[in-house]
Amino acid sequence: MPWSDFKKFVFRKKKEMPNGLWQRCDECNNLIYRKVVDERMKTCPECNYHFTLSAQERVDLLLDKGSFEEFWTNVAPADPLEFTALQSYKTKIDEAQKETGMKDAVVTGKGAINGKQIVVAVIDQRFMMGSMGSVMGEKITRAVEKAHELKLPLVIFSASGGARMQEGSLSLMQMAKTSTAIARFREDGGLYVSVLTNPTFAGVMASFASLGDIMLAEPRALIGFTGPRVIRETIKQELPEGFQMSEFMLEHGFIDRIVPRQKLREELFKIITYYRP
């Protein structure tokens, strides 16, 4: 085929290709068919990389259709410190709310898996990297207390960069607040399953995310308190390769099981059935 004809053929085909059919995997860099990714619950068909899910997508995949009842939908962040850096905190909150349609970074409520009732909280990292401020701390604490009140298992999905710096010590206080609520829940015989997704770091990891009676994680999820550069400079030692991956955490006993997204609903159903047949 002459080059002029070949060029016309290629450009015509490219122009006819509808937008949005393909995407590139963040892990293996392969070009993958978006429909297949969606059918696989937002995972790569080539390397099984787990793409980010919104809180609503997570709820839809996990719970029985129509079973979810959301709690405390009107709790929204304030700006008690009137924090301003390159942008004001209020501006960043407004932008995140418009982008996600959420009041803050966590969704809480009650739902069912194969008819088994649970209380669930899901962090959405699209909202300021899932950072924990006063609203997240309050809603997580309320979810723990609601599970206690209803005598139901509690499942929390974590995905966070840590405490929200724009709220200063008010944000850090949420670590103690949520941890205390979980301790009381456990003392009364409640079951808390913590599911770590990519990434789960800093204040969230150092509080409620690490306190599950059963600790699950998605494959190759980044988990830790701070980044490897800070750790390396602090302890002045070389770090093991992949030491913040869920696989490393499993090998060293920090988590109980790594569960691919396609099997997570089934795994959680088994766990809550063992807890309460």
Side-chain angles (χ1 to χ4, degrees):
M1 179 186 293
W3 168 245
S4 57
D5 292 342
F6 178 74
K7 189 164 61 172
K8 289 177 184 178
F9 174 78
V10 170
F11 289 157
R12 183 176 70 251
K13 287 294 182 182
K14 185 175 181 181
K15 188 175 180 180
E16 290 170 358
M17 179 71 73
N19 291 328
L21 284 179
W22 299 86
Q23 67 183 95
R24 195 166 292 281
C25 177
D26 297 335
E27 181 75 14
C28 67
N29 208 36
N30 282 321
L31 199 61
I32 47 180
Y33 191 33
R34 191 179 296 274
K35 183 178 179 182
V36 174
V37 173
D38 291 341
E39 289 172 351
R40 290 174 48 88
M41 300 184 179
K42 293 287 184 74
T43 62
C44 176
E46 300 294 331
C47 69
N48 201 37
Y49 176 75
H50 284 46
F51 291 94
T52 299
L53 290 177
S54 69
Q56 189 59 57
E57 287 173 326
R58 179 78 67 181
V59 166
D60 291 342
L61 289 175
L62 177 71
L63 300 177
D64 298 347
K65 187 175 181 180
S67 71
F68 184 61
E69 176 187 356
E70 188 174 354
F71 298 147
W72 314 300
T73 57
N74 292 323
V75 182
D79 185 12
L81 305 181
E82 298 182 354
F83 184 93
T84 299
L86 296 177
Q87 279 184 308
S88 71
Y89 182 36
K90 186 177 185 307
T91 298
K92 289 186 73 68
I93 287 291
D94 289 344
E95 289 178 353
Q97 289 176 338
K98 288 175 184 176
E99 181 183 341
T100 63
M102 301 170 65
K103 287 286 198 296
D104 202 77
V106 66
V107 169
T108 50
K110 182 181 72 169
I113 301 177
N114 294 337
K116 296 281 187 180
Q117 294 287 318
I118 63 170
V119 172
V120 63
V122 183
I123 298 175
D124 193 322
Q125 63 176 285
R126 300 175 307 150
F127 196 108
M128 295 184 66
M129 271 306 297
S131 53
M132 177 170 63
S134 300
V135 169
M136 181 183 293
E138 178 66 17
K139 291 182 73 172
I140 292 288
T141 300
R142 289 188 188 185
V144 177
E145 292 172 345
K146 178 63 74 172
H148 191 176
E149 173 194 336
L150 299 176
K151 307 293 184 188
L152 292 177
L154 171 69
V155 180
I156 300 179
F157 288 84
S158 295
S160 176
R164 190 172 295 174
M165 58 171 283
Q166 293 89 345
E167 294 187 21
S169 61
L170 296 174
S171 175
L172 296 177
M173 288 167 60
Q174 307 310 311
M175 296 171 64
K177 179 177 176 178
T178 55
S179 298
T180 301
I182 289 169
R184 290 173 178 163
F185 180 59
R186 176 178 291 130
E187 286 172 3
D188 200 43
L191 172 67
Y192 166 35
V193 182
S194 178
V195 184
L196 309 177
T197 71
N198 184 42
T200 303
F201 269 91
V204 166
M205 189 62 225
S207 57
F208 63 85
S210 64
L211 297 177
D213 298 298
I214 297 176
M215 301 286 297
L216 305 180
E218 290 190 331
R220 296 190 62 76
L222 278 170
I223 300 165
F225 182 70
T226 190
R229 180 182 60 81
V230 174
I231 298 173
R232 188 182 300 110
E233 291 177 357
T234 301
I235 67 174
K236 308 300 182 185
Q237 293 182 19
E238 286 302 313
L239 303 170
E241 185 177 350
F243 78 105
Q244 290 183 316
M245 290 287 186
S246 51
E247 288 75 9
F248 186 92
M249 299 291 182
L250 177 64
E251 183 180 345
H252 290 80
F254 186 80
I255 61 176
D256 297 304
R257 184 167 295 184
I258 294 173
V259 186
R261 189 173 291 164
Q262 297 91 334
K263 296 183 177 180
L264 190 54
R265 174 182 157 93
E266 176 189 350
E267 187 71 20
L268 286 170
F269 176 69
K270 288 179 182 177
I271 291 169
I272 60 179
T273 300
Y274 293 152
Y275 169 67
R276 182 166 295 168

